[in-house]
Amino acid sequence: MTSPPLPAPVTTYGPGGLDTAAARQVWDHLHLSRYPLATDDFDAGCRRMPRTAALRRRHIEVNPNPLIRLLVIDVDHPDAVLRALSSLGNHPMPAAIIENPANGHAHAVWPVTVPVNATNYGSRQALCLAQAIEEALRRAVDGDPAYTGRMMKNPLSPDHLCHLLSKRTYTLRQMQGVLAPAGHMPSRGWHAQRRRAPVGYGRNETLFHSVRQFGYRAIRHHWGDPDGFRATVSRELALRNADFSVPLSDNELDHIGKSISGWTIHHSRMWNDGPAVYDATFITIQAARGRKGAAKGGAARAEQSRRLRALAETLAL
């Protein structure tokens, strides 16, 4: 007589014991990627696949390329879940915590109500605020500063313990309102410091702004040669990207390069006015800088002479 088959194990999520279908509904509300990168083994590489297939992998892409919807912090401590849950007066409650059952390390997830456009067509102020809040959340839970924010543990994978806490989202200002009084928000000079050792989304911002400024100066070597200008921008991107501890992918560099060179060639007044106007403008700027420097130098010398005369008069007394 054949014994009846054993019932399939039921995977539950979070304190409420959500079943798989309910957990998938919660995650569909939070996670926006429809064709994400995913993998079971990073050594085998990541590749894009339909969402239904990606949700069966161990690791999945955090956000769609142009948007920031989820802020994810990698908490590499055995008590990662406790750190993420101890939020009263310290940081907003995360929507999900995905834990590695072998060592207790976890990814904590905070969803943003209005996704932030991470391209150069989006608000730079919003992107800078999102990066500052990401840093503040990292400080609040003592997260890993080298985490790139690109891939995360898949909360629907049976290899992880997932705590789906809510479907609530936060505006950037709401999160700032909790993190600032707790003393976690970075100072105003933090972005300049971050550009010296950028991680996560800061790498895109650093490369875009630094190579954009480089491109404006490189224009004078490529009048009438757009292909040469594009190649120069791409080469500079590759050189600066190699300085990062975790470099950006070739695909991301290609997008940044096309954005910089495309805007410069089609919209930059410097490029369209030509070399004669560029040289005249350069001479005018240099002359103005020289006059300003001379005025400052003259004022400094006059002040020094005044102090010396006052000192001489004092000694004469």
Side-chain angles (χ1 to χ4, degrees):
M1 182 175 177
T2 305
S3 59
L6 295 173
V10 177
T11 304
T12 60
Y13 299 84
L18 298 175
D19 60 25
T20 303
R24 186 180 293 271
Q25 288 182 354
V26 174
W27 190 242
D28 284 344
H29 172 77
L30 301 176
H31 187 245
L32 297 182
S33 293
R34 296 299 158 191
Y35 202 75
L37 291 169
T39 186
D40 282 325
D41 183 2
F42 286 118
D43 291 338
C46 303
R47 63 184 181 88
R48 296 201 176 275
M49 58 188 71
R51 182 183 179 88
T52 53
L55 290 176
R56 294 195 293 267
R57 306 291 184 176
R58 297 184 68 241
H59 305 278
I60 195 168
E61 189 175 27
V62 174
N63 289 304
N65 270 337
L67 298 176
I68 301 175
R69 160 70 166 184
L70 301 179
L71 298 178
V72 179
I73 306 299
D74 184 21
V75 190
D76 284 341
H77 298 281
D79 59 344
V81 174
L82 181 60
R83 290 170 184 259
L85 289 175
S86 301
S87 63
L88 185 60
N90 188 56
H91 62 268
M93 178 68 71
I97 305 169
I98 306 108
E99 181 185 1
N100 181 345
N103 56 21
H105 298 183
H107 284 155
V109 182
W110 287 266
V112 179
T113 302
V114 180
V116 178
N117 187 341
T119 70
N120 58 307
Y121 296 104
S123 167
R124 306 309 299 177
Q125 182 180 9
L127 181 59
C128 288
L129 180 57
Q131 292 170 354
I133 289 173
E134 181 185 52
E135 171 64 11
L137 291 170
R138 187 198 67 77
R139 295 180 182 184
V141 297
D142 193 19
D144 181 4
Y147 173 60
T148 65
R150 187 65 185 273
M151 303 292 290
M152 63 181 292
K153 298 177 177 67
N154 179 7
L156 302 182
S157 169
D159 293 334
H160 307 132
L161 297 177
C162 179
H163 310 276
L164 287 173
L165 305 177
S166 74
K167 295 173 66 174
R168 179 182 176 182
T169 62
Y170 299 93
T171 66
L172 296 178
R173 295 300 181 187
Q174 285 174 334
M175 286 193 276
Q176 184 183 27
V178 178
L179 293 163
H184 298 306
M185 289 296 293
S187 62
R188 295 185 65 180
W190 171 77
H191 287 290
Q193 298 170 6
R194 181 173 177 139
R195 288 192 181 111
R196 291 195 288 270
V199 294
Y201 294 106
R203 297 170 301 164
N204 300 68
E205 183 190 17
T206 299
L207 279 181
F208 175 78
H209 285 296
S210 63
V211 178
R212 173 175 64 89
Q213 296 293 338
F214 165 83
Y216 296 155
R217 298 190 299 273
I219 285 176
R220 65 184 185 273
H221 302 300
H222 297 282
W223 299 115
D225 181 21
D227 290 337
F229 179 72
R230 293 188 184 97
T232 298
V233 169
S234 297
R235 182 169 59 253
E236 188 67 18
L237 279 169
L239 290 173
R240 300 192 184 204
N241 185 51
D243 292 335
F244 294 156
S245 57
V246 182
L248 292 173
S249 67
D250 291 341
N251 186 49
E252 289 173 303
L253 290 184
D254 185 55
H255 283 299
I256 296 173
K258 287 180 179 178
S259 176
I260 294 172
S261 58
W263 188 92
T264 303
I265 292 169
H266 297 295
H267 301 287
S268 170
R269 190 171 60 186
M270 289 186 291
W271 180 276
N272 292 320
D273 286 346
V277 175
Y278 183 95
D279 291 341
T281 303
F282 178 78
I283 292 171
T284 302
I285 292 173
Q286 290 296 90
R289 288 173 177 170
R291 289 192 297 271
K292 185 176 180 181
K296 286 185 176 179
R301 287 192 296 271
E303 176 63 18
Q304 185 179 21
S305 297
R306 186 192 65 78
R307 291 181 178 180
L308 288 174
R309 286 195 299 271
L311 178 61
E313 292 173 359
T314 302
L315 294 176
L317 294 175

